[in-house]
Amino acid sequence: MSETTGTTSRWDPDGEEARSLRLRAERLWNRDYVERVLVPCLEIPIGGRAVDVGTGFGALAFLLASVRPDLEIIGIDPEAGLVEGATVVAANLGLDRVSFRTADGTALPFPDGALDLAMCQTVLTHVADAGAVVREMARVLRPGGTFLAIEWTDRALLSISFDNASPVEPEQAIETYRLTKMYSLGRARLGRGDDEAGIRCPIVAHEAGLDVVDVRLNDRISFAIPPYRSPVEAGVIEEMREWLRSEGPDPGTKAWMAENIRAGGGTDQDVARYFDLTDGPAVRAVTAAALDAGTLAAVIPTAMVVTIARRPG
Ligand SMILES: C[S@@+](CC[C@H](N)C(=O)[O-])C[C@H]1O[C@@H](n2cnc3c(N)ncnc32)[C@H](O)[C@@H]1O
């Protein structure tokens, strides 16, 4: 096993960016699990180099940096605006070993074998060819280097939430699963991403020539139970309020979603039923009433598959 550091935290508690980034990290992870289980499993040498593929605003890069400040972490993302935003956050947090570049996951700006860790979080579901990104991540790893992918399990499996305002009847659950499966199938057929990339990831990593050493789940499920003591619960409730204030997806997004369902074999009736089940007046009304009464208790099964693999050699 490589030498690793201890479990020092370095979140700057001040500043809006730090607060929102911490909330994002905490919604997906319990801090103790990251410090004591996940990061030690990675076996990254002191002073090692890592890439965070599809870094977005850098949530995973900052989370790792907060546990392992010794690492050089480079976040890459094709979206220049996100890269600029993450760069500002790194500067505000005084993280001079964390940097960001504009690049695509299928063409990483590193030579073969250059890195100790290649990681991604909620990215492989968004790309047209998850295998191409995983193969590229494998290429830039040194022999023995670590691959880490953290990806939603499967949109259809995660589509059914539980709360005390609108108990899910079996027929409704089956229908939601069926329609979401169609959505996912259509999305993949249109080359718009693979909602099953998480559950498939260990197989994809194996097919990319990596040695899969561990497959886990993240340890956190989103929940909001009165009196919503934690910032994460307050965040879940605030998001629900935002959803109720909004009129749902804008027409462009709605059309895009409908195309997915149709490409997955759905009829116009299936499209209408999908929107009704996920965003219709009935579900909105019961949620609003429970929120107003302060009684809403919700559990959202946001499980992610954590794939850990090593480059052989
Ligand atoms: C849901 S966000 C996740 C961001 C970040 N990893 C996090 O956990 O907060 C998905 C990210 O994947 C990026 N992305 C999309 N296509 C990509 C590609 N081909 N290569 C690398 N990143 C990509 C998007 O720009 C976006 O930032």
Side-chain angles (χ1 to χ4, degrees), residues 29-307:
W29 299 102
N30 284 306
R31 181 90 204 164
D32 53 0
Y33 183 85
V34 174
E35 289 186 348
R36 292 180 208 156
V37 179
L38 181 68
V39 173
C41 275
L42 304 179
E43 301 183 4
I44 324 161
I46 287 176
R49 289 183 86 202
V51 64
D52 178 23
V53 175
T55 193
F57 277 118
L60 183 61
F62 292 126
L63 181 65
L64 180 63
S66 73
V67 181
R68 289 289 305 270
D70 58 291
L71 301 178
E72 181 187 350
I73 305 170
I74 302 130
I76 70 98
D77 201 286
E79 298 286 338
L82 295 177
V83 167
E84 280 164 28
T87 303
V88 170
V89 175
N92 289 348
L93 293 173
L95 297 173
D96 55 7
R97 295 185 65 72
V98 180
S99 62
F100 297 93
R101 292 185 208 169
T102 306
D104 195 279
T106 55
L108 295 174
F110 307 102
D112 294 0
L115 304 178
D116 300 288
L117 171 69
M119 61 183 183
C120 63
Q121 174 172 278
T122 64
V123 173
L124 298 179
T125 47
H126 292 279
V127 300
D129 183 355
V133 174
V134 171
R135 284 192 294 279
E136 184 64 354
M137 290 168 74
R139 179 188 70 75
V140 299
L141 284 175
R142 65 165 167 78
T146 302
F147 168 91
L148 168 68
I150 301 149
E151 297 291 336
W152 303 117
T153 310
D154 172 359
R155 180 188 288 262
L157 283 177
L158 303 181
S159 62
I160 300 144
S161 298
F162 293 83
D163 62 57
N164 60 351
S166 47
V168 182
E169 299 299 331
E171 184 277 332
Q172 185 189 346
I174 292 165
E175 192 62 349
T176 305
Y177 183 89
R178 182 182 77 84
L179 294 167
T180 312
K181 216 57 183 170
M182 272 179 176
Y183 177 106
S184 294
L185 180 63
R187 186 171 173 239
R189 280 184 181 157
L190 294 171
R192 293 172 169 177
D194 180 359
D195 289 326
E196 297 169 351
I199 200 77
R200 285 192 220 282
C201 187
I203 299 166
V204 173
H206 164 71
E207 288 172 352
L210 291 163
D211 182 12
V212 176
V213 293
D214 206 351
V215 182
R216 296 172 171 250
L217 288 176
N218 66 315
D219 69 321
R220 179 163 266 283
I221 291 270
S222 275
F223 66 94
I225 307 290
Y228 319 127
R229 274 192 197 87
S230 68
V232 178
E233 289 172 275
V236 169
I237 292 297
E238 185 45 36
E239 266 179 21
M240 285 187 182
R241 289 192 196 285
E242 266 171 36
W243 162 59
L244 290 172
R245 279 194 294 268
S246 79
E247 288 173 6
D250 61 67
T253 308
K254 234 173 153 171
W256 187 89
M257 294 168 83
E259 282 168 16
N260 291 342
I261 296 169
R262 288 197 195 92
T267 60
D268 288 350
Q269 204 181 3
D270 288 323
V271 171
R273 183 83 176 117
Y274 178 82
F275 286 120
D276 194 46
L277 281 170
T278 56
D279 197 16
V283 63
R284 280 174 170 259
V286 287
T287 309
L291 275 176
D292 287 348
T295 55
L296 188 78
V299 180
I300 304 154
T302 49
M304 298 190 297
V305 178
V306 177
T307 303

